[in-house]
């Protein structure tokens, strides 16, 4: 992702923010920087720092003013390490929950848990995008489990939530932005995708187009800031309380942190789905809405009814 590079930028800023919230740099990050920080730092100084200096020089600044000092101790940012761990934990969780053999008659607890998550995202896609929205389930589901694991990592001693860094949340926001715009361009063509920003009223198009374009361009920032603000604020509160009172009180408010983690995951997933619904329109649904063909309308209705039902597993002979 764009912001998950090994620059000390957010590593320095994120480290200070973490300390302000009562956290210290995780031991794994310190160990990795101790082992590999020197060669990574040398690579940054030789190759990436000059590029950033040129870029920020256009605005009267440089890389160190924006990112902080380049040192071997912060060469590998904490949020990069934590996000890689979140991806590994996500794969491990799915591996543990997924049974060796799927069963319709006697599903295990792991299978039921996975089905609950799949059905929840499936319902959101079908309700907001339509039956054809099921093809977006893998990407949206990946967003969901990865963000949820990232949010919950802050509750584990010795770890931090990578989503408490703007570098991670902005990267996730940009990924969602690129994904739904790519869907719009693929399904409608570049001109058709841009045309929907003009709105349905022709004489209002000169006014609506710039407004909609600006609204579309700020979505990655709004997604990133919303996710970061809630997770960073939650970590600040837990860190402050942990430093003031005994561990019993922080443990008692952890259920609220779990609720925030799930809620922020739901909001990110729902907004991504809503953005997809604005640009993705199935041909059969257009025909049904316009009343061209009774059979096509019935077919769409059957698809919606089927998509809204209980998910069934394929039978094996």
């Amino acid at each position: 992702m764009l912001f998950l590079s090994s620059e000390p930028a957010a590593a320095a800023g994120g480290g200070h923010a973490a300390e302000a919230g009562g956290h210290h740099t995780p031991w794994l990050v310190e160990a990795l920087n101790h082992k590999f920080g020197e060669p990574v730092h040398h690579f940054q100084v030789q190759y990436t720092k000059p590029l950033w200096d040129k870029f920020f020089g256009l605005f009267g600044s440089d890389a160190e003013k924006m990112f902080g000092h380049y040192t071997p101790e912060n060469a590998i940012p904490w949020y990069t390490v934590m996000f890689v761990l979140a991806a590994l934990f996500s794969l491990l969780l799915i591996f543990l929950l997924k049974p060796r053999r799927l069963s319709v008659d006697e599903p295990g607890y792991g299978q039921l848990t996975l089905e609950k998550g799949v059905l929840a995202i499936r319902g959101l896609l079908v309700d907001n995008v339509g039956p054809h929205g099921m093809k977006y389930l893998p990407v949206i589901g990946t967003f969901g489990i990865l963000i949820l694991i990232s949010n919950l990592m802050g509750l584990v001693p010795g770890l931090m939530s990578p989503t408490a860094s703007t570098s991670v949340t902005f990267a996730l926001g940009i990924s969602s932005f690129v994904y739904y715009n790519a869907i719009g361009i693929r399904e409608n063509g570049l001109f058709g995708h841009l045309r929907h920003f003009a709105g349905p009223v022709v004489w209002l198009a000169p006014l609506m187009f710039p407004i909609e374009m600006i609204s579309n361009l700020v979505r990655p920032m709004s997604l990133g800031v919303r996710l970061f603000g809630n997770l960073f604020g939650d970590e600040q509160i837990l860190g402050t309380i942990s430093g003031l009172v005994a561990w019993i009180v922080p443990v008692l408010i952890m259920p609220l942190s779990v609720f925030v983690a799930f809620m922020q995951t739901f909001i990110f997933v729902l907004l991504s789905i809503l953005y997809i619904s604005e640009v993705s329109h199935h041909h059969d649904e257009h025909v049904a809405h316009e009343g061209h063909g009774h059979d096509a309308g019935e077919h769409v209705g059957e698809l919606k009814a089927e998509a809204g039902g209980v998910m069934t597993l394929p039978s094996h002979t």
Side-chain angles (χ1 to χ4, degrees), residues 51-52 57 62-63 97-98 108 130 160 182 191 241 249 261 266 268 296 316:
L51 296 177
W52 285 118
D62 57 43
L97 291 179
K98 181 181 179 295
M160 295 175 62
F191 178 76
I241 294 177
V249 175
F266 171 76
F268 190 100
H316 300 280

Side-chain angles (χ1 to χ4, degrees), residues 161-240:
S161 296
T163 42
S165 167
T166 53
S167 296
V168 173
T169 58
F170 284 170
L172 291 169
I174 290 174
S175 299
S176 176
F177 173 83
V178 171
Y179 182 60
Y180 77 78
N181 277 288
I183 291 173
I185 294 174
R186 183 183 63 192
E187 294 191 3
N188 309 304
L190 180 59
F191 178 76
H193 180 62
L194 293 175
R195 186 174 56 186
H196 97 271
F197 293 120
V201 183
V202 177
W203 61 274
L204 285 177
L207 176 64
M208 294 298 298
F209 186 81
I211 294 176
E212 289 297 324
M213 282 294 294
I214 294 174
S215 174
N216 189 62
L217 291 174
V218 300
R219 284 175 177 176
M221 182 175 293
S222 66
L223 285 171
V225 169
R226 183 184 294 105
L227 183 58
F228 160 76
N230 284 277
L231 269 296
F232 180 74
D234 183 65
E235 285 208 348
Q236 288 276 79
I237 293 172
L238 277 178
T240 303

